[in-house]
Amino acid sequence: MPIFSAYDTTPLAYHLVGEGEPLIVLPGGPMRASAYLGDLGGLSAVRQLVLLDLRGTGGSAAPEDPATYRCDRLVDDVEALREHLGLDRIDLLAHSAGASLALLYAARHPDRLRTLSLITPATRAVGIPVTDQDLREAAELRSAEPWYAEARAAQEALFAGGPFAELWPAVRPLTYGRWDDAARDHAAASAGQTNAEARGRFDEGAYDPAATVPALRELSVPVLVLAGEYDGVPSPDRATELAALFPYGEFTVLRGAGHFPWLDDPGGFSRTVAAFLDPGLLTVRAGGVRLAYRVWGEPAAPPVVLLHGRAGSSLTWTRIAEALAAEHRVYAPDFRGHGFSDWPGRYSFELFRDDLHAFLEARNLTGATVIGHSMGGVAAYLLAQREPGLIGRLVIEDAPPPLPLDPPRPPAERPEGELDFDWPVVPDTDAQLNDPDPAGRERLAEITAPTLVIGGGPTSHIDQKQLARMADTIPGGAFVTIKAGHLVHTTRPEEFLAALRSFGLG
């Protein structure tokens, strides 16, 4: 456990979890030791978490002057940590009451921030009130829970001024998206992790919204505000107000999550925050789903959209994208259930088609060349059928034609371990491959975009004769074979690029 010296010589501790670029993390509580944050739902897999124990908590010493527990006095501790780590600018993430400290730090040291992530953040520092009605409305979302009646009665008693220590245990389930054993253990640990004296001093007299808000309106770094659907402190509405303060603010709601979203949906939480922190990733809300995407090339160049296959991601296109970027603006999104996009749990080729449609509209890419591999190719030709004129040119790379598999695929078994895509994608799309919608076949002739179909040859599991017939059915369609197997653009990138050049792409 590393130790450094605060401005007043108080020894402060921090904990390092994971590897990668450092991400300084401020705990909430207020004044709860950072242990409750764990690995933030697996975020430590992509960033090294620097979990600060605020003075008087965890491994950090109590100060000689208890007045230094006040939130605005703690700003200097965060700055001392930055200097200790030797970082010119920092990525800063804060949870709950820790967000008050992060907001004050951002107002005082804007030039020391690279990004700011505010997770179910407290809003007192900027004068946005959390009302009893906010809490009631959030609680009502849990009305089907067996503990709801007791929690609501205790909540109302708290609003009336009842004793916190007696009532809070019954209210606490409202702060979690799932009141299961993990949540109970997490909640039970709170008392032993929190400095009660420091907690009582944290907010008192610490805030001046009239000075803080104008400073935050000038903050020139990306800011993520993440709210939990079931949280009342703050509610998504109040969190939206906070995000609106920032010139480069981004707001998202994690469905099914409460005040501790990394516990309620670890994967969703870590993907959302990791995507925000990755400078090579952008995100867009398309049809209600958050899609992550990568971009190469000059903004004014002709657009090309690259669509990955099942269980893949935008990263599979890096080699091709870099080559095309010499003359094109290249976009490569992650479909729902893949990479850093949302994993909603329900999938179909039609939903992937709709993702593509929404993405093209959100980014104003009408007339773009669309290149789709496998599953991405299916989404592309389904959209080209449905919306003639939306796609300028179409390239279908070894994608399953809209014909039943013969023999049909047996039920798939999920492999062991963590996956970088959502497993239901496989059974959901296998069912469609075995019994596709006949309309997909019937409407191939309605595709108006110039189309190139690229087959992977005899080692591909896709029926190449059916691919060739599909190309013949599409008006003006052309078919070319590259003997690479199913993964044409990754196995034979130069031949794939040559085929694209022959099709008119530079």
Side-chain angles (χ1 to χ4, degrees):
M1 180 175 60
I3 302 289
F4 69 102
S5 181
Y7 65 93
D8 60 353
T9 73
T10 301
L12 301 181
Y14 61 95
H15 308 266
L16 299 176
V17 181
E19 297 181 354
E21 283 282 318
L23 172 65
I24 293 178
V25 181
L26 305 181
M31 304 307 287
R32 183 173 177 179
S34 64
Y36 81 97
L37 297 163
D39 68 353
L40 285 178
L43 186 60
S44 60
V46 295
R47 299 297 293 262
Q48 182 179 64
L49 309 182
V50 183
L51 305 171
L52 177 62
D53 283 340
L54 299 176
R55 55 179 56 212
T57 71
S60 292
E64 292 184 4
D65 180 6
T68 61
Y69 286 134
R70 205 172 75 173
C71 183
D72 56 338
R73 302 284 295 274
L74 297 174
V75 170
D76 291 332
D77 289 351
V78 180
E79 179 63 1
L81 175 58
R82 181 197 65 79
E83 293 177 346
H84 166 75
L85 295 173
L87 299 173
D88 182 56
R89 299 174 71 200
I90 60 174
D91 295 311
L92 185 63
L93 181 147
H95 173 242
S96 190
S100 296
L101 174 54
L103 290 167
L104 296 185
Y105 181 88
R108 194 180 304 177
H109 299 288
D111 56 331
R112 294 303 186 185
L113 281 178
R114 187 164 60 183
T115 63
L116 178 61
S117 302
L118 304 172
I119 310 303
T120 57
T123 55
R124 289 183 65 179
V126 293
I128 297 174
V130 172
T131 67
D132 291 353
Q133 187 59 28
D134 290 334
L135 294 167
R136 290 187 181 99
E137 291 175 359
E140 287 171 5
L141 298 175
R142 319 303 301 283
S143 60
E145 299 287 353
W147 41 260
Y148 172 76
E150 181 183 4
R152 277 289 291 121
Q155 186 183 58
E156 287 298 331
L158 274 180
F159 294 156
F164 180 88
E166 293 181 19
L167 295 169
W168 182 245
V171 176
R172 184 158 246 158
L174 291 169
T175 65
Y176 292 86
R178 294 192 310 271
W179 188 238
D180 54 15
D181 289 343
R184 291 184 181 91
D185 290 344
H186 189 264
S190 177
Q193 295 169 338
T194 303
N195 182 326
E197 179 189 8
R199 180 188 182 103
R201 294 177 178 270
F202 182 82
D203 288 317
E204 189 172 312
Y207 308 124
D208 181 7
T212 301
V213 169
L216 296 178
R217 291 193 186 280
E218 299 297 321
L219 190 63
S220 60
V221 303
V223 179
L224 172 67
V225 178
L226 187 150
E229 178 185 11
Y230 297 147
D231 196 14
V233 190
S235 67
D237 286 346
R238 298 292 169 260
T240 302
E241 292 179 39
L242 176 61
L245 297 179
F246 305 103
Y248 303 98
E250 176 181 332
F251 171 70
T252 190
V253 176
L254 199 61
R255 301 300 175 190
H259 195 61
F260 306 93
W262 64 91
L263 290 178
D264 298 322
D265 183 1
F269 175 83
S270 60
R271 285 190 300 274
T272 301
V273 178
F276 170 75
L277 293 173
D278 187 335
L281 272 176
L282 301 170
T283 60
V284 65
R285 184 69 62 173
V289 175
R290 185 186 56 82
L291 299 177
Y293 66 100
R294 301 178 189 275
V295 180
W296 297 260
E298 294 298 321
V304 174
V305 179
L306 305 176
L307 306 174
H308 64 81
R310 190 170 78 175
S313 76
S314 54
L315 288 174
T316 67
W317 287 107
T318 301
R319 169 70 182 85
I320 302 301
E322 290 173 346
L324 292 176
E327 297 183 19
H328 297 85
R329 178 70 161 178
V330 183
Y331 300 80
D334 291 341
F335 279 113
R336 68 174 66 202
H338 296 78
F340 289 104
S341 293
D342 284 348
W343 294 16
R346 186 173 65 89
Y347 305 98
S348 69
F349 290 120
E350 290 75 18
L351 288 172
F352 296 131
R353 174 201 65 196
D354 295 344
D355 284 348
L356 173 59
H357 191 178
F359 180 79
L360 294 176
E361 290 193 336
R363 295 275 65 89
N364 194 26
L365 295 175
T366 298
T369 295
V370 175
I371 302 173
H373 172 238
S374 193
M375 179 190 80
V378 176
Y381 70 64
L382 290 178
L383 181 59
Q385 295 171 353
R386 184 176 183 179
E387 298 289 340
L390 183 59
I391 294 174
R393 286 184 290 186
L394 176 62
V395 179
I396 302 168
E397 177 196 347
D398 215 55
L403 294 166
L405 293 182
D406 184 19
R409 287 186 183 171
E413 294 186 10
R414 189 192 188 283
E416 296 292 331
E418 292 291 324
L419 301 175
D420 54 9
F421 69 99
D422 197 8
W423 174 250
V425 168
V426 172
D428 286 357
T429 54
D430 274 356
Q432 288 192 284
L433 291 170
N434 288 337
D435 186 21
D437 184 350
R441 299 189 294 277
E442 297 164 1
R443 299 189 65 182
L444 286 174
E446 298 178 21
I447 295 176
T448 60
T451 301
L452 173 65
V453 179
I454 299 176
T459 59
S460 171
H461 66 273
I462 301 297
D463 188 315
Q464 299 296 293
K465 291 181 179 179
Q466 290 183 358
L467 268 184
R469 284 196 291 270
M470 182 170 73
D472 287 340
T473 305
I474 297 171
F479 179 71
V480 64
T481 297
I482 299 174
K483 294 181 180 180
H486 185 56
L487 306 176
V488 182
H489 74 268
T490 55
T491 304
R492 297 285 178 86
E494 295 305 327
E495 293 179 45
F496 185 82
L497 287 166
L500 297 184
R501 285 192 292 270
S502 297
F503 186 56
L505 289 175

